Amino acid sequence: MFIQSLNGTWQLYKPADPSFNIPVSVPGSVYTAYLDAGLMEDPYKGENQYEAERISEEDHSFVTSFAVGEGIRSSEKIYLHFDGVDTAAEIFFNGISVGTCCNMHRTYEFDVTDLVSSDELQQLAVRFISPVNYITEKNGELPLWGVSSTMAGYPHMRKAHYMFGWDWGPVLPDMGLWRGVSILGVSGGRIESVYHRQRHTEQGVYVTVEGHTEDISSDRLSVAVTLTDPEGRRVTEEASISGGNFSAEFFIESPYLWYPRGYGVQPLYNISVTLLDNGRTVDEKSLDIGLRTIEVCRTPDNDGTDGEEFAFAVNGIKIFAMGANYIPEDQLICRRSREKTEKLLTDCLAANYNMIRVWGGGIYPDDWFYEFCDRNGLLVWQDFMFACSVYNADRAFCENVKHEIIDNVKRIRNHPSLAMWCGNNEIESAWQYWGLPDQPEMKKGYLRMFEVLIPKILGFYDPQTFYWPSSPSSGGSFKDSGAKNKGDIHYWEVWHSCKPFTEYSKYLFRFCSEYGFESIPSMKTVRSFAEDKDMDLMSPVMEAHQKCEAGNEKLMYYIAQMVNYPYTFKGLVYASQLVQADAIRLNVEHMRRNRGICMGSLYWQVNDSNPVISWSSIDYFGRWKALHYYAKRFYAPVLLSADLSHDDYIIFNVSNEKMKTVRGFVNWTVRRNTGEIISEGEFPVSVEPLSAANCGTLLRSEILPPDDTANKISLRSCYLEYTLIADKCEVLSSGDCLFVQPKSFEFLDPQLSFTVDEIGGKYKIIVSSKAFAKGVCLDMKEHDVVFTNNWFDLHGDSTMVLVNKSALPPHFTAEKLAEELTVTSYYTEVLNN
């Protein structure tokens, strides 16, 4: 098979304006072309987003001409192939309409064998219909319910929902060729799909490779399937083709098993399929697989209630899933790249994730996303691209969706990182609890799509991967989709309902797949879209970058409950990140203390699609917020936490997500705000693998001075510090907690200082304090780096932080780093500003 890429520079036209003609890159979009031509202001700056919306109200055409290679021209069949068309478009080849597109999540292919002209150049045009006009017209005919932060009518279009706006993203309904375009020449036949099945036994693993071919003209087609193990050893099986289908089976006696990170290694086998026409290679496909079993355990509780577990088991090992929700990496989808995705996922690994959820209101990620997860042991919870909406699931819509599901299941299903398919985000619970319009036929349509159509497709194309109808859900059919003792849950009482952080400890969620808390991104990020005059949370520019309804009010409400009022905008940014990090930490610690009942934490959300006030732990520019540094600690394989929910005593707990027993001792101290020790002690701990255990109890009356338990004022000047130290004097986990809210604590000036030196390929920073310092934050004035530790507390002592020299320009020195480094804390950012 011959493949000729048609990517590159095309021309962009507007049918309503014959004089309009600018270059456009493919893959690319209308917005990126306008930006490159200087016809559009950066939609992320100021309030430019509102002007950008209007561009989407006009139709546009992508046009190119190209010479067809001789191999393709002489092929028996010639196809135009589109990997991603966004969204409603008609395709013209040499002036003749060859078909239409109506779903950006699908691939499209058109037979142009008889349309290739004898001329040297072929003409290709893609005419896009305005997505705004499309949904406006459709919604006028049949109004469909959708979330309020989007454009009305968006559920009519199979286009990434977030492009019409969301509660963290602006309304930027772009259009274009967002994935590659090519022309194919096929003779004899081609491989349409390859799927592998695994059957694990005590003797070994049986791998069955199945596939489907398209027979163009030959009855002499055959297939050779080669399996290569991680050591490079190869076995080849010949397979005959019947009715376009083929199958080959391999037995692996001593398999190398694939595990999520933290539980084992990630060896990959390679399957290579070669299609032969009378012995001549006409097509090839290659894919990497991992040998593993993944199941979702839903064992009923044995206490007489209707509760049940929700736990992922890989190769029979029940894991505690730790991670976050992933959204598209840019509001302008064509600006995504392998480099950006791999940088983001590398940052997820650095924070000890073992799972990531692909949220249903965006896109099905590119192959490089899954390939990275395969190599690095990140399990993927994969939503289908439906979220928070009512759909008109008539025959035409379901037919469109069917092809979307098939295309993406066939592309993604072989990845070992794929842990489950999920039908949608929050639609079942919306029907149950959100007061949707009373439309019985639409509700039936929901069941038809998510509980009949999609399971049927998966039963044929990927029967080995678990399917869950919605998130949250208890199993479907509008039964207890918001239950807290079974299935997965999205818990938003903290934040959306302004409940206190203590609400988390009231519940034993089985799997918390969404919960979150907003914060303002770093000052460097804010300055990318706002000027000094805009540095007010209620300014028009800041409100344009806050998409959550009443979001700023909720943020200020929680800040008022937790910390002192920050009198500068910079202090407000700091306070928001500190409060966000503590909110998520409290829930994670609570759930990990109850491992075995609670088996998963996926906070909302890891990343941003634009510079915005949001729930993310990493902002649009890749800058870590306090939350991501906290995640590195609370998602560590071994976590020591303190449960302060009891009036008279404190319970220490160790959660051990390692495959071996953890032994050591817990050292605890009660300190004054000066860092001086009031009382201290230690006790041994031994915690079995994959378990959590309470390992020590402190009576408040015994660890605090005699008058402190009765005199609340004295509690304002002391706090508890604790450390888990392994047998070999390795610090596995540490933390501290106040006995009052930070706003009531009597902080002293910690008089922070630091030194910078070079050691090998790293810069060594020693940060010191002369009193208790909460939330010590390191940053650089201009450059961006990831510190080995940040947003930590000091106790009148010092700690070492490292920075990779490779993260900074070659000319950098320790002296230059010292000049650019800033070190602040709660005292300097909130109290002394």
Side-chain angles (χ1 to χ4, degrees):
M1 183 169 69
F2 296 95
I3 303 174
Q4 179 181 334
S5 173
L6 301 182
N7 295 345
T9 301
W10 294 32
Q11 294 302 119
L12 181 67
Y13 297 91
K14 285 197 297 186
D17 182 2
S19 65
F20 185 89
N21 178 5
I22 61 173
V24 58
S25 295
V26 172
S29 72
V30 168
Y31 283 175
T32 56
Y34 273 64
L35 284 166
D36 291 342
L39 300 177
M40 173 181 170
E41 297 293 333
D42 182 348
Y44 298 158
K45 286 190 175 181
E47 299 176 80
N48 292 340
Q49 58 189 269
Y50 305 125
E51 289 296 321
E53 291 178 31
R54 298 188 176 93
I55 295 172
S56 297
E57 296 173 3
E58 297 186 86
D59 297 349
H60 289 79
S61 294
F62 283 49
V63 179
T64 190
S65 60
F66 59 95
V68 176
E70 186 54 37
I72 292 177
R73 188 180 285 274
S74 60
S75 295
E76 295 171 313
K77 284 287 185 179
I78 302 175
Y79 301 97
L80 281 175
H81 183 91
F82 296 84
D83 285 317
V85 180
D86 177 19
T87 293
E90 187 172 6
I91 313 299
F92 294 84
F93 186 70
N94 289 330
I96 298 173
S97 175
V98 297
T100 59
C101 306
C102 55
N103 189 328
M104 76 173 287
H105 304 300
R106 287 175 57 182
T107 57
Y108 286 91
E109 202 166 85
F110 304 97
D111 187 341
V112 295
T113 308
D114 299 330
L115 300 179
V116 175
S117 74
S118 58
D119 298 338
E120 180 182 355
L121 295 180
Q122 314 297 312
Q123 308 295 322
L124 176 58
V126 183
R127 297 182 182 174
F128 289 94
I129 299 171
S130 157
V132 176
N133 296 342
Y134 181 94
I135 66 171
T136 300
E137 179 182 341
K138 293 291 185 182
N139 213 50
E141 298 168 0
L142 177 65
L144 292 179
W145 182 90
V147 291
S148 59
S149 53
T150 63
M151 297 185 80
Y154 73 89
H156 284 286
M157 199 173 210
R158 288 309 297 145
K159 176 179 175 71
H161 292 349
Y162 85 104
M163 298 175 79
F164 291 107
W166 214 258
D167 57 5
W168 37 258
V171 177
L172 294 173
D174 203 356
M175 66 193 99
L177 297 171
W178 72 289
R179 281 181 168 147
V181 181
S182 57
I183 188 165
L184 315 178
V186 182
S187 295
R190 61 173 170 167
I191 303 167
E192 286 195 332
S193 64
V194 177
Y195 178 52
H196 85 285
R197 299 172 186 257
Q198 302 177 24
R199 183 164 61 89
H200 291 245
T201 69
E202 291 183 2
Q203 292 73 36
V205 177
Y206 292 88
V207 176
T208 303
V209 180
E210 306 168 345
H212 185 74
T213 64
E214 178 187 12
D215 186 346
I216 300 296
S217 64
S218 175
D219 57 2
R220 302 181 302 275
L221 293 178
S222 62
V223 170
V225 182
T226 299
L227 179 69
T228 305
D229 75 10
E231 300 296 326
R233 295 183 290 262
R234 299 181 180 181
V235 179
T236 299
E237 296 286 343
E238 303 292 330
S240 59
I241 299 173
S242 176
N245 299 313
F246 66 86
S247 177
E249 186 172 83
F250 300 86
F251 176 70
I252 304 170
E253 186 174 2
S254 301
Y256 298 91
L257 295 183
W258 185 98
Y259 288 88
R261 67 187 307 268
Y263 301 89
V265 294
Q266 294 81 43
L268 297 176
Y269 289 73
N270 179 264
I271 295 173
S272 176
V273 180
T274 303
L275 181 65
L276 303 162
D277 180 5
N278 199 25
R280 178 177 61 91
T281 298
V282 293
D283 197 8
E284 294 178 296
K285 284 194 183 295
S286 177
L287 56 96
D288 290 331
I289 67 168
L291 302 182
R292 85 291 184 268
T293 61
I294 299 181
E295 60 180 323
V296 176
C297 303
R298 299 175 60 200
T299 305
D301 293 350
N302 57 10
D303 59 1
T305 67
D306 64 347
E308 65 178 32
E309 72 174 337
F310 193 93
F312 287 85
V314 184
N315 300 326
I317 299 170
K318 291 183 181 179
I319 72 164
F320 190 100
M322 299 184 287
N325 287 259
Y326 167 85
I327 65 171
E329 293 166 53
D330 208 299
Q331 208 69 20
L332 304 185
I333 196 64
C334 292
R335 298 206 291 206
R336 76 199 187 289
S337 69
R338 177 188 292 269
E339 292 72 25
K340 287 181 181 178
T341 299
E342 292 191 348
K343 170 64 168 63
L344 175 65
L345 293 176
T346 298
D347 287 343
C348 292
L349 298 180
N352 293 304
Y353 286 26
N354 59 34
M355 178 176 279
I356 193 161
R357 176 184 175 225
V358 179
W359 169 75
I363 63 168
Y364 301 93
D366 298 278
D367 291 340
W368 60 66
F369 175 93
Y370 303 99
E371 291 163 1
F372 183 96
C373 293
D374 293 344
R375 295 192 305 270
N376 293 281
L378 266 179
L379 293 172
V380 177
W381 170 313
Q382 178 67 57
D383 281 7
F384 289 108
M385 292 302 113
F386 304 90
C388 305
S389 307
V390 171
Y391 304 100
N392 178 27
D394 60 13
R395 185 180 298 273
F397 189 84
C398 286
E399 182 67 16
N400 189 6
V401 165
K402 180 184 78 172
H403 289 288
E404 170 190 330
I405 301 301
I406 291 172
D407 283 352
N408 286 285
V409 169
K410 287 165 68 174
R411 180 171 66 90
I412 300 169
R413 62 187 175 179
N414 288 299
H415 288 280
S417 57
L418 178 64
M420 67 176 287
W421 296 105
C422 179
N424 65 76
N425 177 78
E426 296 186 342
I427 305 178
E428 182 187 5
S429 57
W431 276 112
Q432 270 204 273
Y433 307 118
W434 294 9
L436 269 57
D438 184 16
Q439 297 174 300
E441 286 304 312
M442 297 295 180
K443 196 170 184 178
K444 289 179 184 176
Y446 170 91
L447 295 173
R448 189 160 54 247
M449 264 209 316
F450 299 108
E451 301 194 15
V452 178
L453 175 63
I454 294 178
K456 182 178 180 181
I457 293 170
L458 289 171
F460 184 81
Y461 287 97
D462 189 19
Q464 292 199 313
T465 302
F466 177 79
Y467 175 68
W468 193 237
S470 184
S471 180
S473 181
S474 293
S477 302
F478 308 119
K479 183 180 179 182
D480 298 332
S481 61
K484 297 179 176 64
N485 66 337
K486 55 186 171 182
D488 73 309
I489 189 169
H490 294 187
Y491 186 73
W492 284 104
E493 293 297 301
V494 174
W495 182 258
H496 282 306
S497 296
C498 294
K499 294 288 183 68
F501 297 168
T502 52
E503 287 293 299
Y504 289 130
S505 64
K506 294 181 179 179
Y507 306 105
L508 295 176
F509 307 128
R510 304 311 164 94
F511 196 108
C512 204
S513 51
E514 272 195 32
Y515 61 102
F517 195 94
E518 278 198 343
S519 70
I520 308 169
S522 77
M523 286 297 296
K524 283 185 282 191
T525 297
V526 171
R527 291 191 185 282
S528 75
F529 64 79
E531 300 176 10
D532 286 346
K533 63 182 177 62
D534 305 314
M535 300 297 172
D536 182 318
L537 194 60
M538 308 307 167
S539 72
V541 168
M542 293 307 299
E543 290 194 332
H545 290 78
Q546 167 59 278
K547 299 301 181 182
C548 174
E549 184 177 351
N552 288 341
E553 292 87 339
K554 291 171 183 174
L555 192 58
M556 291 306 299
Y557 169 80
Y558 277 106
I559 285 175
Q561 305 306 306
M562 303 291 293
V563 301
N564 304 84
Y565 186 83
Y567 283 93
T568 66
F569 190 79
K570 183 168 175 280
L572 179 63
V573 170
Y574 173 94
S576 74
Q577 292 199 22
L578 188 68
V579 173
Q580 177 197 35
D582 271 327
I584 305 305
R585 174 186 62 82
L586 287 168
N587 196 25
V588 174
E589 289 183 347
H590 167 66
M591 289 189 288
R592 290 195 65 180
R593 283 196 290 268
N594 290 280
R595 190 202 194 280
I597 300 174
C598 305
M599 290 300 288
S601 160
L602 302 175
Y603 63 78
W604 185 269
Q605 65 213 66
V606 61
N607 64 309
D608 281 329
S609 66
N610 66 108
V612 67
I613 302 170
S614 82
W615 298 268
S616 71
S617 61
I618 300 176
D619 74 22
Y620 173 72
F621 294 104
R623 295 169 180 139
W624 289 27
K625 295 181 180 178
L627 173 55
H628 210 71
Y629 283 104
Y630 270 48
K632 183 178 179 180
R633 296 192 285 267
F634 60 58
Y635 280 160
V638 179
L639 174 69
L640 169 65
S641 65
D643 180 1
L644 273 72
S645 62
H646 307 280
D647 291 336
D648 299 326
Y649 55 91
I650 298 164
I651 300 175
F652 287 108
N653 180 280
V654 173
S655 175
N656 178 20
E657 211 55 30
K658 287 189 173 185
M659 299 292 289
K660 60 182 181 181
T661 299
V662 169
R663 294 183 176 86
F665 61 91
V666 171
N667 178 286
W668 62 267
T669 58
V670 175
R671 296 175 179 267
R672 298 192 187 277
N673 51 6
T674 59
E676 173 194 353
I677 295 175
I678 298 174
S679 57
E680 61 184 326
E682 66 177 44
F683 50 85
V685 296
S686 178
V687 182
E688 296 297 314
L690 307 176
S691 69
N694 292 335
C695 53
T697 300
L698 301 180
L699 295 176
R700 291 178 184 252
S701 60
E702 294 180 358
I703 64 171
L704 296 171
D707 62 333
D708 284 359
T709 54
N711 185 355
K712 292 184 179 180
I713 296 178
S714 60
L715 293 181
R716 296 176 181 175
S717 60
C718 62
Y719 64 96
L720 175 67
E721 179 205 3
Y722 43 88
T723 304
L724 172 59
I725 301 174
D727 288 341
K728 296 181 180 180
C729 297
E730 174 191 4
V731 175
L732 296 179
S733 182
S734 63
D736 58 64
C737 48
L738 307 181
F739 298 109
V740 296
Q741 297 289 11
K743 68 178 182 180
S744 299
F745 193 81
E746 297 173 356
F747 289 98
L748 303 176
D749 183 356
Q751 300 179 52
L752 295 173
S753 61
F754 63 88
T755 61
V756 181
D757 294 299
E758 292 186 34
I759 52 168
K762 300 180 185 297
Y763 292 112
K764 180 180 72 172
I765 305 168
I766 302 295
V767 184
S768 304
S769 73
K770 293 188 176 180
F772 174 51
K774 181 172 178 59
V776 177
C777 174
L778 281 66
D779 200 358
M780 297 187 69
K781 297 172 185 175
E782 296 181 11
H783 294 84
D784 294 311
V785 298
V786 172
F787 299 95
T788 53
N789 194 13
N790 205 356
W791 288 88
F792 50 81
D793 296 348
L794 287 174
H795 312 286
D797 55 3
S798 302
T799 194
M800 180 175 68
V801 177
L802 300 176
V803 174
N804 286 326
K805 293 178 69 174
S806 60
L808 291 165
H811 66 272
F812 242 73
T813 62
E815 291 75 17
K816 176 66 175 175
L817 176 58
E819 292 174 6
E820 197 176 321
L821 185 67
T822 63
V823 180
T824 58
S825 69
Y826 184 89
Y827 180 87
T828 52
E829 289 297 314
V830 178
L831 292 177
N832 201 35
N833 244 324

